[in-house]
Amino acid sequence: MEKAKKFMFYVAFVASLGGFLFGFDTVVVSGAEKGIQNYYQLSGWLHGFTMAIALFGTIAGALFCGRPAEKFGRLASLKAIAYLYLFSALGCAFATNWWILIFFRFMGGVAVGASSVVGPMYIAEIAPADWRGRFVAFFQFNIVLGLVTAYISNWWLSGLQLTDDWRWMLGVLALPSVLFAALLALLDVSGATAAFTRFLTLPFALAGADTGTLSSFLPCLLEVSCGCVEASGTGEAAPLLLGAALGW
């Protein structure tokens, strides 16, 4: 049980990195806005629009991420979000004109909106009942950590006297994005569940029984059983539920 909790903590930590990118991407433009305005010679209206375009993307991402998360799964959606952050950061850093910058800033906003929904959803679903609040709060903590880190990053880069330092400010988000994508790639909770399901259904398969229904039901059963074990503090609920489901 202790190893399972450590693994759940690791999964929640990885998923909560989406909150760090959320906070970082939201604030980092504050240090780059003057450089962007001077580089593209933007009017006051276009300057404001450039700063706000990510917020429009955030609204779109939060509104429309639910269906892909349901269809492809939360983990797959988080992987896609990590790549959106990465492409957005690189696109902004290497933007050759204002339209390209607008496009990739909007993409980053979509990633922010989607991660604000899918991240807590994934954490809440994989976390044990008595740890759920702490894990979701960890996501919120990482948002604030991302905000603070973005300010520190902007301050440090502005002091280096770089040419077009705004590109570095927006592009540095690629580093935590790569880390987020790499750690998510190492997670395969569904694979572990499938392996355990095959282990439990092996005796029935050897006996010639149809294991299709059992295989599809076991992951849900295991989730409910683990919830009962966490709630009761004993290991009695899981075998009782499993026995009831198998007709023992």
Side-chain angles (χ1 to χ4, degrees):
M1 185 62 68
E2 192 63 31
K3 288 185 178 180
K5 283 192 174 184
K6 288 182 179 179
F7 178 72
M8 288 299 173
F9 181 83
Y10 169 73
V11 173
F13 166 76
V14 173
S16 68
L17 288 179
F20 177 87
L21 296 175
F22 176 143
F24 195 102
D25 189 83
T26 302
V27 163
V28 72
V29 74
S30 65
E33 52 96 11
K34 285 297 183 184
I36 293 172
Q37 184 181 25
N38 294 333
Y39 185 86
Y40 291 111
Q41 295 298 301
L42 300 177
S43 65
W45 190 91
L46 288 178
H47 179 219
F49 180 78
T50 304
M51 298 303 104
I53 189 63
L55 298 179
F56 294 115
T58 300
I59 295 172
L63 283 176
F64 300 110
C65 70
R67 188 172 295 275
E70 288 291 333
K71 183 176 181 180
F72 302 107
R74 281 54 154 165
L75 183 57
S77 298
L78 284 176
K79 291 177 181 179
I81 290 168
Y83 285 113
L84 284 178
Y85 277 120
L86 175 60
F87 296 149
S88 171
L90 295 178
C92 290
F94 295 103
T96 55
N97 60 61
W98 179 75
W99 289 104
I100 293 178
L101 177 67
I102 287 294
F103 173 78
F104 283 108
R105 282 299 296 162
F106 182 85
M107 179 186 292
V110 171
V112 168
S115 63
S116 69
V117 175
V118 180
M121 185 189 304
Y122 179 69
I123 293 173
E125 288 180 349
I126 60 94
D130 58 338
W131 283 44
R132 193 166 297 140
R134 280 173 280 183
F135 283 171
V136 174
F138 194 40
F139 183 91
Q140 307 301 322
F141 170 79
N142 269 348
I143 293 177
V144 179
L145 181 62
L147 297 172
V148 175
T149 305
Y151 283 122
I152 295 174
S153 173
N154 286 345
W155 167 76
W156 181 70
L157 289 172
S158 65
L160 297 180
Q161 302 299 320
L162 300 170
T163 303
D164 295 337
D165 58 356
W166 63 269
R167 295 184 182 274
W168 291 90
M169 291 178 183
L170 298 180
V172 75
L173 181 65
L175 297 178
S177 300
V178 168
L179 177 63
F180 186 38
L183 292 176
L184 286 173
L186 297 177
L187 291 182
D188 190 8
V189 179
S190 60
T193 302
F196 190 49
T197 299
R198 287 194 295 271
F199 171 75
L200 289 178
T201 56
L202 180 61
F204 300 91
L206 293 177
D210 180 15
T211 61
T213 303
L214 180 62
S215 297
S216 62
F217 180 67
L218 269 176
C220 297
L221 179 64
L222 291 172
E223 182 178 354
V224 174
S225 300
C226 291
C228 291
V229 170
E230 291 294 331
S232 64
T234 67
E236 298 175 357
L240 285 176
L241 282 172
L242 186 59
L246 300 179
W248 294 345

